Amino acid sequence: DAGVIQSPRHEVTEMGQEVTLRCKPISGHDYLFWYRQTMMRGLELLIYFNNNVPIDDSGMPEDRFSAKMPNASFSTLKIQPSEPRDSAVYFCASSYRATEAFFGQGTRLTVV
Amino acid sequence: KQEVTQIPAALSVPEGENLVLNCSFTDSAIYNLQWFRQDPGKGLTSLLLIQSSQREQTSGRLNASLDKSSGRSTLYIAASQPGDSATYLCAVFTGGGNKLTFGTGTQLKVEL
């Protein structure tokens, strides 16, 4: 398996634009996690899914953030409208039954 | 709410030293604990996974221990090398919804 795949690797966008981050988990994994990492706040859990169903979205900072998992092999994190303070590295991770978690390489988002 | 803390926040040691990184968590109802390594500008690499029924795991020069009752885990690195320089993070899968919560990280620098 190629591991967790995230796209794009880098995204630069203007304030107010819509941003969509994508994640393909490892095949067979039933948990998918979205994290945001900044120097100030470290790794923050935004939302996670089990069998494509959102379990806990309490970490989503504002209504501008939304996440979907339409099937077991794909998830998106959308920010609309984006703001400069959303600039961070966004990670996706997957695991099977709360065992070992594997991370993607991340998407570095810059909002100018 | 699970809170995970890592001490120290930063550590600088000369090459060849043995060292210990600490991780503590507030809710002992965990399934697993996982240690990760993160190099600057990179994703997270899994180092060791300790299941809740285990007391320790070893991989090469790394040894991780877990004491659920006291809410603590340690990562022991033997004979440190400059290539070990990175940020080390611990994370716990907490009971219920299998939420994966990260610690604050320890930034390690091994000097020649």
Side-chain angles (χ1 to χ4, degrees):
Chain A
D1 200 310
V4 177
I5 299 173
Q6 292 186 245
S7 64
R9 291 292 307 277
H10 302 273
E11 177 81 35
V12 180
T13 190
E14 293 186 348
M15 182 174 63
Q17 295 297 306
E18 178 179 295
V19 175
T20 299
L21 310 181
R22 297 172 175 81
C23 176
K24 176 179 168 56
I26 293 173
S27 177
H29 282 190
D30 56 349
Y31 281 86
L32 185 140
F33 304 84
W34 281 102
Y35 290 88
R36 177 172 67 176
Q37 186 176 42
T38 61
M39 289 291 292
M40 292 298 295
R41 302 174 69 92
L43 264 171
E44 301 174 277
L45 177 64
L46 301 177
I47 186 171
Y48 72 102
F49 297 83
N50 177 219
N51 292 322
N52 314 337
V53 176
I55 302 301
D56 187 340
D57 65 354
S58 60
M60 298 285 261
E62 300 171 37
D63 291 344
R64 299 184 296 107
F65 286 70
S66 62
K68 294 182 179 179
M69 192 164 185
N71 56 63
S73 59
F74 183 66
S75 179
T76 59
L77 178 67
K78 185 176 295 186
I79 308 173
Q80 166 63 20
S82 58
E83 296 183 4
R85 60 196 168 113
D86 301 330
S87 297
V89 180
Y90 291 81
F91 286 104
C92 174
S94 71
S95 74
Y96 176 66
R97 290 189 182 179
T99 56
E100 193 169 8
F102 295 88
F103 275 70
Q105 288 301 300
T107 295
R108 183 174 298 275
L109 174 64
T110 303
V111 183
V112 298
Chain B
K1 177 186 173 184
Q2 178 74 276
E3 293 185 2
V4 184
T5 306
Q6 291 186 243
I7 295 174
L11 182 63
S12 181
V13 300
E15 181 180 14
E17 271 205 9
N18 302 325
L19 57 99
V20 175
L21 308 181
N22 298 291
C23 172
S24 61
F25 45 95
T26 55
D27 185 351
S28 61
I30 66 168
Y31 285 134
N32 303 309
L33 185 144
Q34 195 168 353
W35 282 93
F36 293 86
R37 167 187 174 138
Q38 186 176 29
D39 293 286
K42 303 293 185 181
L44 280 73
T45 300
S46 179
L47 296 174
L48 288 165
L49 172 74
I50 308 178
Q51 296 182 4
S52 60
S53 59
Q54 297 175 319
R55 295 300 297 268
E56 65 179 90
Q57 278 286 350
T58 299
S59 176
R61 294 183 295 107
L62 305 180
N63 176 276
S65 67
L66 173 63
D67 183 344
K68 276 183 59 177
S69 60
S70 66
R72 296 184 183 206
S73 175
T74 61
L75 179 66
Y76 175 83
I77 303 177
S80 58
Q81 303 170 358
D84 295 331
S85 298
T87 296
Y88 291 80
L89 297 129
C90 67
V92 293
F93 275 105
T94 304
N98 293 332
K99 192 171 187 176
L100 183 60
T101 304
F102 274 84
T104 46
T106 294
Q107 189 173 7
L108 172 65
K109 183 175 182 181
V110 181
E111 299 174 319
L112 290 169

